[in-house]
Amino acid sequence: MNAEIQKQKRKLPIGYQSFADLREDGCYYVDKTPLIRQMVEEGRYYFLSRPRRFGKSLLVDTLQELFEGNEPLFQGLDIHPHWDWSVQYPVVRLTLDGKVSTPESLEKNIVNQLRGIESRFGLTSLPPLTEAADRLRNLLDHLHQKTDRQVVVLVDEYDKPVLDVLEEDEKARANRDSLREIYSILKSSQKHIRFVFVTGITMMSMASFSSGLNNLTNISLSPRYASICGYADHDLDTVFAPELEGLDRDKIRTWYNGYNWLGEEKLYNPHDILHLFDMREFRAHWFKSGEPGYLYRLLKENRVSPMQLENRVVDADFATNFELGEFSHEALLLQSGYLTVKQKEVIEDNILYHLDYPNYEVQRSFNAGLAEHLTKRGREIAETGNALIQALGENHFSVFKQKIQAMLEGIPYAWPSSGDLGHYESWYTSLLYMSFRTTPVDLKAEEMTSHGRSDLVILHLNQVFVLEFKMVKGSKHMERKVEEGLDEAITQIREKGYGEKYRDLDQPIHLIGMVFGEEDRNLLDIRVEKL
């Protein structure tokens, strides 16, 4: 289906998690069955991590329909001529999406799901075990005996009972320990199992989560399965071709493309694309469906500057491990979809990931949301970003200065003071960074040169703007301190060569020194020179 451009519009599969409903209603469908076939032929136990609303539940449902042998649903798809439709496997599917804040409610949730599966297969005479793990073991045994087929086990949102209470460490650990017993059955009952597929958001350490998950093949960052969820550019240009009319194709790519799990293609979140085609408006469709309040609190508590999130180089193990109480913000941001892998680098035996925002939607929305969390004036900061960029482009530097002063007026420090001026300088740099990052301008934060690291560099309207920030303390002889600060900022830009790498662009290079006052809590003055 993907090989040919669609001629007629179809129904947009917004909100569909049922493969049967999607196919029977004639919706658009990006054929994922080539990768499903490859997965089933190559192994038996799999784990996949993807951000929310990326199509994991639909993939799980597709697997269920496939193993249950519902052939009509797969007519015209890649896998149809390659599958033995005479064989139907029993499927045990668990979806851990209910409100389960305690081990007791979690046990009840799973037992109720298992009871329903028992009833569907006519196993009503089984002993009414109250322990979920024992009940699952019993069910796998009896299903194998009754059908003479090994069982397919599908687990969707395996980590949700832990993530829902992540800020309550005791509850999170209790739910994890309760799930350990459930997942241990997947290992001890291997003789009854044909295939296992587990999905979730985080790549929680399987060793700490359960030895029963140790035998799962983690395909979350496997290049071969990188596109098993999500849409590629080719999918938009073929499957969704009728929906593209009247929409700026390059703008679609800038706003929504960019997720990368080490495959050859960058991907789109289906939620974004489907809602764009439905509403015909460029909005933060995915981001607004679940804002990351916990992540904002985590960054604030650890005084992590938003500038530390982009162009971040981290050890691969460090970025993918998720241990309760020990996980890094980079790991959570990557696995939640707010950062993505832009580049993989191998240095001797070390694997490094270069992390950055996947696209403009996430960059813009995440920084506006973080600014709101830190200052309660996120909308104002976002709106100021556009005014600042316009003032720079027009070389109205006095307006640029006034807009910054108006934005910073009355904004308190959000991070506990460390007592040094570098701390305050970092805070103001972060505020301006968040403001700029709500615009599509080309911005370089803390860019390294051979002699040091610049604060901010902006490329806009065929001009280069190099910004360097300085802080001054106290009120005595303030004018002299401001002048000294401006001298120091401009001198630093020149001596450390922050603008030199841009000379080849043959564009005006503006050096902008900016001095902030600790007591005034605002921008005191700026100086602009040309390189």
Side-chain angles (χ1 to χ4, degrees), residues 263-290:
E264 295 180 356
E265 299 174 296
K266 295 178 181 179
L267 299 170
Y268 298 86
N269 186 312
H271 186 85
D272 271 326
I273 294 304
L274 296 178
H275 281 80
L276 170 67
F277 289 156
D278 181 47
M279 301 176 66
R280 319 300 292 181
E281 292 180 348
F282 289 87
R283 295 184 181 180
H285 303 292
W286 172 75
F287 190 91
K288 293 298 184 182
S289 67

Side-chain angles (χ1 to χ4, degrees), residues 91-111:
V91 176
V92 171
R93 177 176 173 180
L94 299 175
T95 302
L96 305 182
D97 61 351
K99 292 188 178 298
V100 287
S101 59
T102 65
E104 292 74 23
S105 59
L106 175 58
E107 282 273 323
K108 183 178 179 180
N109 178 292
I110 295 175
V111 166

Side-chain angles (χ1 to χ4, degrees), residues 252-263:
I252 295 175
R253 192 175 290 111
T254 298
W255 264 76
Y256 302 119
N257 191 225
Y259 291 96
N260 191 335
W261 287 280
L262 304 185

Side-chain angles (χ1 to χ4, degrees), residues 236-238 240-249 252 277 280:
L236 268 63
D237 294 331
T238 54
F240 292 103
E243 302 295 333
L244 294 175
E245 185 177 354
L247 293 172
D248 185 326
R249 188 67 183 83
I252 295 175
F277 289 156
R280 319 300 292 181

Side-chain angles (χ1 to χ4, degrees), residues 198-355:
V198 178
T199 76
I201 291 177
T202 62
M203 297 179 224
M204 206 169 292
S205 169
M206 298 304 169
S208 70
F209 207 86
S210 171
S211 61
L213 297 182
N214 283 347
N215 58 338
L216 293 181
T217 299
N218 186 349
I219 61 173
S220 304
L221 287 167
S222 167
R224 290 180 299 166
Y225 297 103
S227 61
I228 199 166
C229 289
Y231 301 151
D233 264 322
H234 175 72
D235 301 323
L236 268 63
D237 294 331
T238 54
V239 176
F240 292 103
E243 302 295 333
L244 294 175
E245 185 177 354
L247 293 172
D248 185 326
R249 188 67 183 83
D250 289 334
K251 190 173 181 180
I252 295 175
R253 192 175 290 111
T254 298
W255 264 76
Y256 302 119
N257 191 225
Y259 291 96
N260 191 335
W261 287 280
L262 304 185
E264 295 180 356
E265 299 174 296
K266 295 178 181 179
L267 299 170
Y268 298 86
N269 186 312
H271 186 85
D272 271 326
I273 294 304
L274 296 178
H275 281 80
L276 170 67
F277 289 156
D278 181 47
M279 301 176 66
R280 319 300 292 181
E281 292 180 348
F282 289 87
R283 295 184 181 180
H285 303 292
W286 172 75
F287 190 91
K288 293 298 184 182
S289 67
E291 295 190 49
Y294 173 68
L295 279 169
Y296 292 152
R297 291 189 288 275
L298 180 67
L299 295 176
K300 180 180 178 180
E301 289 170 6
N302 290 280
R303 291 199 337 210
V304 177
S305 166
M307 293 185 298
Q308 295 175 259
L309 304 183
E310 66 174 67
N311 299 317
R312 185 78 169 153
V313 181
V314 297
D315 183 271
D317 291 335
F318 187 65
T320 54
N321 282 346
F322 188 96
E323 297 273 7
L324 287 180
E326 300 176 10
F327 57 86
S328 67
H329 63 269
E330 291 98 340
L332 193 52
L333 285 161
L334 171 64
Q335 295 167 41
S336 300
Y338 300 103
L339 295 179
T340 196
V341 180
K342 290 293 185 177
Q343 179 186 343
K344 176 183 176 181
E345 183 180 5
V346 180
I347 301 178
E348 295 183 348
D349 294 329
N350 297 318
I351 299 176
L352 303 176
Y353 291 154
H354 294 244
L355 307 181

Side-chain angles (χ1 to χ4, degrees), residues 164-193:
D164 280 352
V165 290
L166 194 58
E167 294 185 79
E168 302 176 73
D169 190 63
E170 288 188 13
K171 285 186 177 181
R173 293 181 185 278
N175 279 356
R176 181 200 61 185
D177 294 344
S178 183
L179 285 170
R180 272 180 176 169
E181 299 180 22
I182 306 297
Y183 296 137
S184 67
I185 303 305
L186 301 182
K187 188 171 185 178
S188 63
S189 300
Q190 287 188 59
K191 65 180 180 180
H192 302 305
I193 293 176

